[in-house]
Amino acid sequence: MNGAESLVATLVASGVDACFTNPGTSEMHFVAALDRVEGMRPVLCLFEGVATGAADGYGRMAGKPAATLLHLGPGLANGLANLHNAKRAATPIVNIVGDHATYHAQHDAPLASDIAAVAAPFSSWVHASTDAGKVAHDAARAVAAARKPPGGIATLILPADTAWSEADGPAEPIATAEPAPPRPDAVARAADALASGKAAVILLRGDALTEEGLAQAGRIAKTTGARVMCDTFTARLPRGAGRFAPTALPYFAEQIVETLAGTERLVLVGAKPPVAFFAYPGKPGWLTPEGCEIVVLAQPHESGPAALDALADAVGALGASPDLAPLARPDLPAPGPIDSALVGQIIGRLLPEGAIVSDEAATSRLGPALHTAGAPPHDWLALTGGSIGQGVPLATGAAVACPDRKVLALQGDGGGMYTLQALWTQAREKLDVTTVIFANRSYAILNVEMKRVGADPGPKALSVMDLHDPVLDWVKLAEGMGVEAVRVDMTEAFADHFARCMREKGPHLIEVVHTR
Amino acid sequence: MNGAESLVATLVASGVDACFTNPGTSEMHFVAALDRVEGMRPVLCLFEGVATGAADGYGRMAGKPAATLLHLGPGLANGLANLHNAKRAATPIVNIVGDHATYHAQHDAPLASDIAAVAAPFSSWVHASTDAGKVAHDAARAVAAARKPPGGIATLILPADTAWSEADGPAEPIATAEPAPPRPDAVARAADALASGKAAVILLRGDALTEEGLAQAGRIAKTTGARVMCDTFTARLPRGAGRFAPTALPYFAEQIVETLAGTERLVLVGAKPPVAFFAYPGKPGWLTPEGCEIVVLAQPHESGPAALDALADAVGALGASPDLAPLARPDLPAPGPIDSALVGQIIGRLLPEGAIVSDEAATSRLGPALHTAGAPPHDWLALTGGSIGQGVPLATGAAVACPDRKVLALQGDGGGMYTLQALWTQAREKLDVTTVIFANRSYAILNVEMKRVGADPGPKALSVMDLHDPVLDWVKLAEGMGVEAVRVDMTEAFADHFARCMREKGPHLIEVVHTR
């Protein structure tokens, strides 16, 4: 058994059994090991940003890490932007990055770079294996590091000779740390804050956003009058009929200020106090109201659900009935030209139970979010790190993790172009993903932001935010990668095609041409 | 005048007048400045790897840096792989990377990351501006750093408030350092080595590879009997009829060993001793023959042409006539199924004078290289850093730099998928680029490398090197981005379409389906 085989066997024994890859020469022994060791599913991606984004989607849905297999520093570099998003989502991921043989590093060959330095800004754990005998144990450590609560990016650098040299065999998996239990003093402080009669907000992030965590927060809200909120962009949010719905913070700073106005106690469960996504001249960045007391009920590495259980007990809320969303689907809209709100209305009407929604719809996201609030239960995955080009890869990985659930990618056209290669992987793996492209043919958000930062655009500036010249043909782009596609600009056509996509399995794309 | 305007004005005054960009909110004031300051051409790219690859192609052809404008750490990260290639090519590039406002950094907003750390592995100079009054001077320093011989990647981080706050005005350009003159002792040692009667090789890189540098090397070869060689992959090589042709080192280590066998003196002009691209079990990595003396005539920051002039003088070669390539075009091949050699033959027949060839043809590159050796004078740009996904962006940037020259991108299908968004920029800017996709529907090189590293692939391993399921349709992909395209699998069809592409201006793509 060589080092690569010991590595793959250890990953599989540690519960890592999917690998999103774009390999090169230095990873050939890992690739060959896929046939010599049972249990690892390779998923080929034509660009590394697809691999890392898919690993993020997989991790969010599977609750355990996938591996990526990437080629040297530049291959890792191509995957960094979606690792940034995954890091902000606290998704567990194990990156395996091939490197030159240890004895070849001295020669500074053309593909050489400082891989550990490339990995560091977006990893919580980085290690370079130094000999084949240690690779297996290093792999076990990498998995444990990725799974360490709340979840992180572990990058293991694998020099080619540690892959091809003889090893002893796989290593024992390392027991995964559990989220830390509630701290009684924190629970008592939070209970005091909620019992104070002051206007309170409970802000949830991470594992607090399970169906059970939400229900418990709903009971606390019912009992104490506190409001329950979540971030604008959540890694995974269970939504729909029968679930307690937290209020999502709005996107713009002044809207958050308005939403939080009058709040005197802010109770954080795995979350951080809200800040502005960007700074704007003369606008606030820190958004907690002045004089509001901040109470940390649970830090990110502590169990959100257990903390909420303890808090519910402390405030006498265990017997309360939370306000759960009723099943309430909108009607189909009248025939006519489509816009993003009408798309949302149709999706709200037709979204199947158990759907997974990857939301990178950007300026088109509010309609779909609003109209699916009363749809059957589903999960919503948002752009946690703000780096566009996540949506289609994320949907791809979610579909690998959950083959029996319908996956829906809501994707702006600007962001969709970053990582469109993900469509090919969907076709190759016959994944059950429907991609809706919101084709406003613009970096629409930048037209808004340009004004917000106080800049005055002329014709050159306006041109670099505009995607009309030439118009992208998403039907051809999708078909070019083996995904069936249509273009629509009317409500009835979208409803017909969307209904068909929800009925039939396999990848589809609908380009929605709209102007607002 | 705000900081952004002072920055753009300083870049223009310093000779940087093209900006390949994919901006975001934090770069809006730079974007607005494009209309308030004369002289900067923005070129919109739909992915940052296109922007950095285009800046590389521009820099190689223009001999001066372009700017990129990128959005925060993740936007820079998306551009790193092609910055790696540019770094290996010693191409001057000035990256402007927007960041959060200085006072907003404390809040760790979702898009925050350590941009300087992201830039460092692939930059020769990194600086974060701290106030609007210093931005202009920092820009002048960045340009000087990029132009410092032999050329480098300068990354200037621009916090949003330093862009929007009031500044004094543009800064004076900083005089560019010239390549250092020849060192007499180095010239004397090289002359001794060549006069010793020992078998000698002169290895050229960088600015030595101008038409004049090559001719001088050819005179030295004629006089001393030394062989003149260049790297396997050169940043820019003037080739064709009337030029002295160095022998390119082959790709595989054992081929290089064979080529250099018997060499007793290795004279380096801007080059490093050849090493294996990858390590293979039991094969050498350091490829200079044992006992061969290495003489450094010119280091990378020293002038290659001046050093060759001095050496030619020292060995009495100034009056010699170098062996220049004759004009020798191949005939068009007989009608029949096409392969990469036949593609090369047709290109050799039809390539126009002054063409610029961006070569990322990978396993298909030898035929085109062979058959164009006697074509009219042209420039050849290769994949210097080994990170695929360079070719189409590089061609894009070269076409922006040289609007009156035909640009030809020879592109493998695997590498082409990394940065296919470059085709959109070609359509938008109406660039005169013909892209030939070698569609062998495989990561063909990996099938070779798998055997060379001694691995034994099973069905899973073979599947991750294969691109047949589904087949990519490059005609649809190109048309989806506004580029006219055809698919061919016969010689006569390729010859017809290629001839038309050479006659007509504007972007075209030809997908060549072939099996070898």
Side-chain angles (χ1 to χ4, degrees):
Chain A
M1 174 169 276
N2 65 27
E5 290 156 8
S6 78
L7 168 58
V8 175
T10 304
L11 290 175
V12 172
S14 304
V16 178
D17 50 17
C19 176
F20 298 92
T21 184
N22 184 274
T25 298
S26 38
E27 295 78 43
M28 286 296 96
H29 282 273
F30 185 113
V31 168
L34 294 171
D35 289 291
R36 298 170 167 273
V37 176
E38 284 286 317
M40 180 67 79
R41 174 182 180 182
V43 179
L44 179 59
C45 304
L46 299 187
F47 178 69
E48 294 88 348
V50 175
T52 53
D56 186 5
Y58 179 98
R60 293 192 198 185
M61 292 312 304
K64 65 176 191 177
T68 66
L69 178 65
L70 307 172
H71 185 45
L72 296 151
L76 171 61
N78 278 333
L80 290 177
N82 273 333
L83 290 178
H84 167 84
N85 290 322
K87 179 184 175 188
R88 292 285 174 177
T91 306
I93 294 177
V94 175
N95 296 311
I96 309 293
V97 184
D99 196 2
H100 286 302
T102 51
Y103 58 82
H104 197 64
Q106 62 185 316
H107 297 318
D108 191 35
L111 259 166
S113 65
D114 184 346
I115 301 179
V118 176
F122 303 108
S123 299
S124 58
W125 183 93
V126 181
H127 180 74
S129 282
T130 50
D131 71 64
K134 291 180 181 159
V135 167
H137 182 60
D138 290 342
R141 290 168 59 216
V143 177
R147 291 185 123 151
K148 185 177 167 191
I153 314 294
T155 300
L156 178 62
I157 300 165
L158 181 67
D161 54 334
T162 67
W164 72 50
S165 300
E166 203 55 25
D168 301 329
E172 283 294 310
I174 295 174
T176 302
E178 293 294 321
R183 287 169 287 115
D185 58 327
V187 174
R189 272 201 306 276
D192 285 350
L194 297 184
S196 65
K198 307 281 188 182
V201 165
I202 305 171
L203 185 60
L204 310 179
R205 185 185 289 182
D207 70 352
L209 296 172
T210 57
E211 185 169 3
E212 299 70 27
L214 286 166
Q216 205 64 289
R219 287 186 194 97
I220 295 165
K222 191 81 172 185
T223 304
T224 65
R227 291 187 294 164
V228 177
M229 309 190 82
C230 65
D231 295 310
T232 316
F233 303 107
T234 50
R236 177 178 175 180
L237 181 66
R239 298 175 86 235
R243 286 165 168 177
F244 177 79
T247 302
L249 289 169
Y251 177 68
F252 288 120
E254 63 273 22
Q255 299 169 327
I256 297 180
V257 167
E258 195 180 327
T259 300
L260 294 180
T263 302
E264 297 163 296
R265 300 289 183 270
L266 178 62
V267 176
L268 300 174
V269 189
K272 296 201 300 180
V275 297
F277 211 89
F278 291 104
Y280 303 98
K283 292 206 169 111
W286 177 260
L287 305 178
T288 303
E290 208 171 324
C292 174
E293 184 188 329
I294 295 175
V295 179
V296 179
L297 173 62
Q299 297 186 54
H301 70 281
E302 297 172 328
S303 169
L308 288 165
D309 287 349
L311 180 60
D313 191 12
V315 300
L318 287 175
S321 296
D323 291 332
L324 304 182
L327 182 67
R329 286 180 180 277
D331 293 329
L332 286 179
I338 203 161
D339 62 27
S340 60
L342 295 169
V343 168
Q345 197 173 329
I346 294 164
I347 292 173
R349 180 78 209 169
L350 300 171
L351 192 74
E353 181 164 350
I356 301 164
V357 180
S358 169
D359 173 12
E360 192 180 307
T363 49
S364 298
R365 77 194 170 87
L366 292 179
L370 177 70
H371 290 293
T372 51
H378 59 277
D379 282 295
W380 200 275
L381 319 181
L383 179 60
T384 44
S387 179
I388 59 175
Q390 173 195 267
V392 185
L394 198 78
T396 304
V400 171
C402 303
D404 298 325
R405 297 175 65 173
K406 179 66 75 178
V407 179
L408 173 60
L410 304 175
Q411 181 62 54
D413 51 357
M417 281 303 290
Y418 279 58
T419 47
L420 70 166
Q421 306 93 337
L423 293 171
W424 183 84
T425 298
Q426 292 180 9
R428 182 179 180 88
E429 301 287 331
K430 300 178 178 57
L431 301 177
D432 194 13
V433 182
T434 297
T435 302
V436 174
I437 299 287
F438 290 91
N440 58 16
R441 297 169 176 170
S442 169
Y443 290 122
I445 185 69
L446 295 186
N447 286 283
V448 179
E449 297 283 26
M450 177 67 87
K451 287 172 198 142
R452 290 177 53 80
V453 298
D456 181 19
K460 275 189 186 177
L462 290 171
S463 79
V464 303
M465 304 185 286
D466 186 88
L467 306 182
H468 278 90
D469 179 20
V471 159
L472 291 161
D473 183 333
W474 277 94
V475 174
K476 284 188 173 166
L477 293 172
E479 290 177 351
M481 290 180 278
V483 170
E484 202 182 308
V486 295
R487 180 178 305 107
V488 303
D489 58 5
M490 301 293 282
T491 54
E492 57 272 41
F494 181 75
D496 285 352
H497 286 292
F498 189 78
R500 207 191 112 213
C501 293
M502 294 303 103
R503 278 195 312 271
E504 295 177 5
K505 283 204 115 179
H508 297 86
L509 181 142
I510 307 176
E511 178 182 4
V512 180
V513 178
H514 67 111
T515 50
R516 66 186 171 95
Chain B
M1 176 170 274
N2 65 28
E5 290 156 8
S6 78
L7 167 58
V8 174
T10 303
L11 290 175
V12 172
S14 304
V16 178
D17 49 17
C19 175
F20 298 92
T21 183
N22 184 275
T25 299
S26 38
E27 295 78 43
M28 286 295 96
H29 282 273
F30 184 113
V31 168
L34 294 170
D35 289 292
R36 297 171 167 273
V37 176
E38 284 286 317
M40 178 69 79
R41 174 182 180 181
V43 179
L44 179 59
C45 304
L46 299 187
F47 179 69
E48 294 88 347
V50 175
T52 54
D56 187 4
Y58 180 98
R60 293 192 199 185
M61 292 312 303
K64 66 177 190 175
T68 67
L69 177 65
L70 307 172
H71 186 44
L72 296 152
L76 171 60
N78 278 333
L80 290 177
N82 273 334
L83 290 178
H84 167 84
N85 290 322
K87 180 184 174 188
R88 291 285 173 179
T91 306
I93 294 177
V94 176
N95 297 310
I96 309 294
V97 184
D99 195 2
H100 286 302
T102 50
Y103 57 83
H104 198 63
Q106 63 184 317
H107 298 318
D108 191 36
L111 259 166
S113 65
D114 184 346
I115 301 178
V118 176
F122 303 107
S123 299
S124 57
W125 184 93
V126 181
H127 180 75
S129 282
T130 51
D131 71 63
K134 291 180 180 157
V135 167
H137 182 59
D138 290 341
R141 290 168 60 216
V143 177
R147 291 185 123 151
K148 185 177 169 191
I153 314 294
T155 301
L156 178 62
I157 301 165
L158 181 68
D161 53 335
T162 66
W164 74 49
S165 300
E166 203 54 25
D168 300 329
E172 283 294 309
I174 295 174
T176 302
E178 293 295 320
R183 287 170 287 114
D185 59 328
V187 175
R189 273 201 305 277
D192 285 350
L194 299 184
S196 65
K198 307 282 188 182
V201 165
I202 305 171
L203 185 60
L204 310 179
R205 184 185 289 182
D207 69 353
L209 296 173
T210 56
E211 185 169 2
E212 299 70 27
L214 286 167
Q216 205 64 290
R219 288 185 194 98
I220 295 166
K222 192 82 173 184
T223 304
T224 66
R227 290 187 296 163
V228 178
M229 308 192 81
C230 65
D231 295 310
T232 315
F233 304 106
T234 50
R236 177 178 174 181
L237 182 65
R239 297 175 85 235
R243 287 166 167 176
F244 178 79
T247 303
L249 289 168
Y251 177 67
F252 288 121
E254 62 274 22
Q255 298 169 328
I256 296 179
V257 167
E258 196 180 324
T259 301
L260 294 180
T263 303
E264 296 163 296
R265 299 287 183 270
L266 179 62
V267 177
L268 301 174
V269 189
K272 296 202 300 181
V275 298
F277 211 89
F278 291 104
Y280 304 98
K283 294 209 167 104
W286 176 260
L287 305 178
T288 303
E290 207 169 326
C292 174
E293 184 189 329
I294 295 175
V295 178
V296 178
L297 173 62
Q299 297 187 54
H301 70 282
E302 296 172 330
S303 169
L308 288 166
D309 287 347
L311 180 59
D313 192 12
V315 300
L318 287 174
S321 295
D323 291 331
L324 305 182
L327 181 68
R329 286 180 180 280
D331 292 329
L332 285 180
I338 205 159
D339 62 26
S340 60
L342 294 168
V343 169
Q345 197 174 328
I346 294 164
I347 292 173
R349 181 78 211 168
L350 300 172
L351 192 73
E353 180 164 350
I356 301 164
V357 181
S358 169
D359 173 11
E360 192 181 307
T363 49
S364 298
R365 76 192 171 88
L366 292 179
L370 177 69
H371 290 293
T372 51
H378 58 277
D379 282 296
W380 200 273
L381 318 181
L383 180 60
T384 45
S387 180
I388 58 174
Q390 173 196 266
V392 186
L394 198 76
T396 304
V400 171
C402 303
D404 298 325
R405 297 175 66 172
K406 177 67 75 177
V407 179
L408 172 61
L410 304 175
Q411 181 62 55
D413 51 358
M417 281 302 290
Y418 278 58
T419 46
L420 71 164
Q421 306 93 338
L423 293 172
W424 184 84
T425 298
Q426 292 180 10
R428 181 180 181 86
E429 301 288 331
K430 300 179 179 57
L431 300 177
D432 193 14
V433 182
T434 296
T435 302
V436 174
I437 298 287
F438 290 90
N440 57 15
R441 297 168 175 171
S442 169
Y443 289 121
I445 185 69
L446 295 185
N447 286 284
V448 179
E449 298 282 27
M450 177 69 87
K451 286 171 200 144
R452 289 178 53 82
V453 299
D456 181 19
K460 275 188 185 178
L462 291 171
S463 79
V464 302
M465 302 186 286
D466 186 90
L467 306 182
H468 277 90
D469 180 18
V471 159
L472 291 162
D473 182 333
W474 278 95
V475 174
K476 284 189 172 166
L477 293 173
E479 290 176 351
M481 289 179 279
V483 170
E484 203 183 309
V486 295
R487 180 179 304 108
V488 303
D489 58 5
M490 302 292 281
T491 52
E492 57 273 41
F494 181 75
D496 284 352
H497 285 293
F498 190 77
R500 206 191 114 215
C501 292
M502 293 303 104
R503 278 195 311 271
E504 295 178 4
K505 283 205 113 178
H508 297 86
L509 182 142
I510 307 176
E511 178 182 4
V512 181
V513 178
H514 67 111
T515 51
R516 68 187 169 94

